[in-house]
């Protein structure tokens, strides 16, 4: 029996899913760590991106902050946290992953709000909208596709990177990979890697559907080709780059 067969056998055993500390428990912990990290990054990045994007200034600061955050390896942060009061475990992983998730959310939020047409803003103000109404009813819907793309990118990256929690005493699906590698049981290691990859793909799919659902304007199913009939019904025809005319 080769390693891939052992991985399939491991995943096909209900006991490995339901036992204490099994796959379901590790999956729950993995999702909690990832969700908290992304939400923490959103709390920091979204307001900052909205303020700077609406003011249309601070692009240099956003670029510098994003580049600096990307340049810091998550594993290096976890190593630094080990000698600070943060210590090991899931809390250190959440903080490190939140830092890792800030750049794509901040950058896309800034670009999305900065890209709202000035004429649209002026037209909304001419209609008597207040600053809050302009933000909620005009700018936020128009910037939503880019903002959600940043959140989706950050979420997928965090889900995939949360496996590092196992290296600092944390929980999550990374424990299967760490356990399999440590015991030279590559079937278990492959099973853990498969679960992490499947979870990242599922996260991507769910957030693509959510982005499609909240995007304003006429919609068509993602990846569905545009037909002549849909164009005649008034749906926008995409250009060669995929952006509607």
């Amino acid at each position: 029996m080769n390693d891939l067969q052992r991985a399939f056998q491991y995943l096909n055993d209900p006991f490995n899913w339901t036992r204490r500390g099994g796959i379901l428990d590790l999956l729950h912990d993995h999702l909690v760590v990832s969700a908290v990290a992304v939400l923490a990054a959103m709390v920091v990045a979204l307001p900052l991106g909205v303020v700077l994007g609406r003011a249309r200034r601070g692009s240099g600061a956003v670029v510098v902050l994003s580049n600096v955050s990307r340049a810091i390896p998550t594993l290096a942060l976890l190593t630094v946290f080990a000698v600070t009061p943060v210590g090991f475990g899931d809390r250190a992983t959440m903080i490190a992953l939140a830092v890792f998730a800030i750049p794509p959310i901040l950058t896309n939020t800034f670009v999305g709000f900065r890209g709202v047409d000035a004429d649209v803003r002026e037209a909304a103000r001419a209609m008597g909208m207040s600053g809050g109404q302009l933000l909620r009813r005009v700018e936020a819907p128009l910037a939503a596709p880019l903002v959600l793309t940043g959140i989706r990118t950050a979420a997928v990256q965090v889900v995939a990177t949360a496996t590092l929690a196992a290296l600092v005493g944390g929980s999550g699906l990374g424990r299967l990979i760490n356990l399999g590698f440590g015991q030279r049981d590559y079937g278990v290691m492959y099973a853990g890697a498969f679960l992490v990859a499947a979870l990242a793909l599922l996260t991507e799919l769910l957030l693509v559907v959510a982005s499609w659902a909240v995007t304003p304007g006429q919609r068509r199913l993602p990846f569905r080709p545009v037909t002549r009939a849909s164009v005649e019904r008034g749906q926008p025809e995409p250009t060669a780059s995929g952006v509607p005319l």
Side-chain angles (χ1 to χ4, degrees):
M1 183 181 296
N2 59 35
D3 293 331
L4 292 179
Q5 290 174 327
R6 282 197 293 272
F8 178 78
Q9 185 181 43
Y10 183 88
L11 293 174
N12 202 41
D13 186 350
F15 178 74
N16 291 328
W17 289 80
T18 57
R19 64 182 171 82
R20 184 177 179 85
I23 294 175
L24 290 180
D25 287 343
L26 295 177
L27 176 61
H28 171 267
D29 295 341
H30 196 103
L31 289 174
V32 169
V33 168
S34 301
V36 171
V38 174
L39 289 175
M42 290 170 61
V43 169
V44 175
L46 287 178
L48 184 58
V50 170
V51 170
L52 294 177
R54 296 186 77 196
R56 299 197 172 194
R57 62 183 62 182
S59 58
V62 172
V63 171
V64 170
L65 180 60
S66 296
N67 289 338
V68 169
S69 300
R70 287 192 179 103
I72 302 175
T74 304
L75 186 57
L77 273 180
L78 292 174
T79 304
V80 172
F81 289 156
V83 295
T84 67
V86 176
F88 287 102
D90 289 338
R91 182 174 62 173
T93 306
M94 291 174 188
I95 297 173
L97 291 176
V99 173
F100 181 59
I102 286 175
I105 299 176
L106 175 60
T107 303
N108 280 48
T109 303
F110 172 76
V111 173
F113 278 86
R114 188 184 63 174
V116 176
D117 197 323
D119 293 338
V120 174
R121 286 192 174 106
E122 291 302 321
R125 291 192 182 98
M127 295 172 61
M129 286 189 182
S130 64
Q133 290 174 323
L134 175 64
L135 173 63
R136 293 191 306 271
R137 300 173 61 181
V138 177
E139 293 175 317
L142 292 176
L146 269 177
V147 174
L148 290 173
T149 298
I151 295 174
R152 186 176 76 240
T153 301
V156 174
Q157 290 177 345
V158 165
V159 166
T161 311
T163 54
L164 294 177
L167 298 178
V168 291
S171 187
L173 295 173
R175 280 195 172 183
L176 293 178
I177 300 175
N178 199 31
L179 177 65
F181 184 80
Q183 296 183 348
R184 296 183 179 274
D185 187 349
Y186 298 118
V188 175
M189 186 180 71
Y190 288 160
F194 173 78
L195 290 171
V196 173
L199 183 59
L201 289 174
L202 181 60
T203 302
E204 172 81 13
L205 178 61
L206 291 176
L207 292 179
V208 164
V209 173
S211 178
W212 169 80
V214 303
T215 299
Q218 292 178 326
R219 303 184 183 92
R220 62 184 178 88
L221 292 176
F223 312 116
R224 180 181 178 182
V226 178
T227 62
R228 181 177 297 275
S230 65
V231 174
E232 291 175 353
R233 287 197 300 268
Q235 295 184 0
E237 184 176 4
T239 62
S241 62
V243 179
L245 293 171

